Amino acid sequence: MSNEHVAIAIDGPAASGKSTLARELSQRLGLIMVNSGAMYRAVTWQVLRKGIDPFDSAAVVAELGQMKLDCGVEGLASTIRVDGVDPGDELRSEAVNRRVSTVAAIPEVRERLVALQRRYLEVGNVVMEGRDIGSVVFPETPYKIYIDADATVRAQRRVEMGEVDAVEERDREDSSRKTAPLTVPLGAAVLDTSGHTIESGVAAAIELLEGQGLKTEAIRGR
Ligand code: DC
């Protein structure tokens, strides 16, 4: 690792419970929580806003070159602004849900966002959730969890959130792309949250991380 800060990597398919787990770990252990999906969503949002075809990789890459991306932290949570604008709830719109996997498959998009993601570790201890955090962003961290849940449970979670999101289709695209596909990272502990409550899922995750050598008492507030 580039410095003494700790990175916890949480990967898994859509609606598997990554954000909930990352938020809980962030609050309990005082870690910066980075939602890497929001970064791919923000680029997608800007591409759609500019009327660019997300399937036209060359046009997306050209727009990426113009785009100012500011990644910061507010409280303990990551923030993102595109050309000075916070996209807010629009990051989770149906249009963005539908096209984010297409934009996220473009290698140049990934290269730029991975570099921004790694910079968070210079700021403090980090829990980062996504699809390639344990495999590509922080492959050297010993603290990795791959979280999963039944497809029906995941689809139901999105409905409960009031979102229109074809999670299985996104997972298929995210798992089959050439660059940094969704995969169980080497050394990751696998946690299925289907039968868990938030509390029991977080407890199980902390136990797995401690099994990987994480000293939760030592990093709290560091
Ligand atoms: O975590 P999420 O559902 O908000 O992520 C949205 C999309 O972003 C996801 O379908 C694929 C892409 N993504 C990615 O390719 N790599 C990441 N580390 C995080 C998200």
Side-chain angles (χ1 to χ4, degrees):
M1 210 140 320
S2 58
N3 56 38
E4 80 280 16
H5 290 138
V6 167
I8 298 178
I10 300 179
D11 291 295
S16 52
K18 298 185 301 292
S19 302
T20 303
L21 176 60
R23 192 174 51 243
E24 292 294 323
L25 290 175
S26 158
Q27 286 169 1
R28 293 176 198 205
L29 305 177
L31 313 169
I32 298 168
M33 174 194 160
V34 184
N35 176 349
S36 68
M39 299 165 78
Y40 291 94
R41 288 172 179 275
V43 172
T44 306
W45 173 78
Q46 179 74 338
V47 161
L48 295 175
R49 199 161 75 118
K50 290 278 177 97
I52 294 161
D53 176 2
F55 292 97
D56 182 348
S57 317
V60 172
V61 171
E63 175 57 29
L64 185 73
Q66 307 292 315
M67 218 181 276
K68 188 166 174 282
L69 294 170
D70 295 312
C71 297
V73 181
E74 252 174 52
L76 280 175
S78 62
T79 59
I80 183 151
R81 287 179 179 274
V82 187
D83 291 343
V85 181
D86 174 0
D89 291 345
E90 289 180 34
L91 290 184
R92 308 203 66 87
S93 68
E94 187 182 349
V96 171
N97 281 345
R98 199 175 319 118
R99 289 294 164 243
V100 64
S101 295
T102 308
V103 172
I106 301 172
E108 290 88 344
V109 171
R110 306 203 66 82
E111 197 183 330
R112 177 146 180 217
L113 297 188
V114 166
L116 292 170
Q117 289 154 14
R118 289 186 177 139
R119 290 204 351 220
Y120 275 102
L121 205 55
E122 294 164 15
V123 183
N125 295 323
V126 166
V127 55
M128 190 174 294
E129 52 124 336
R131 304 293 187 291
D132 62 342
I133 310 306
S135 57
V136 174
V137 182
F138 299 126
E140 69 280 24
T141 183
Y143 315 124
K144 302 181 189 183
I145 295 203
Y146 183 88
I147 187 166
D148 207 349
D150 289 344
T152 42
V153 171
R154 294 190 289 113
Q156 183 58 30
R157 286 178 184 165
R158 278 297 187 261
V159 171
E160 282 165 14
M161 286 169 76
E163 270 190 42
V164 180
D165 187 5
V167 292
E168 282 191 80
E169 200 178 313
R170 262 200 308 134
D171 293 343
R172 218 170 11 253
E173 284 188 49
D174 295 340
S175 305
S176 60
R177 68 177 174 230
K178 284 207 184 80
T179 310
L182 169 65
T183 180
V184 181
L186 203 65
V190 178
L191 175 62
D192 190 314
T193 63
S194 311
H196 274 290
T197 62
I198 291 178
E199 193 51 46
S200 70
V202 174
I206 289 179
E207 206 175 309
L208 290 170
L209 290 166
E210 287 177 341
Q212 293 173 337
L214 185 71
K215 304 270 182 267
T216 49
E217 285 305 327
I219 64 168
R220 228 173 240 127
R222 204 173 86 184

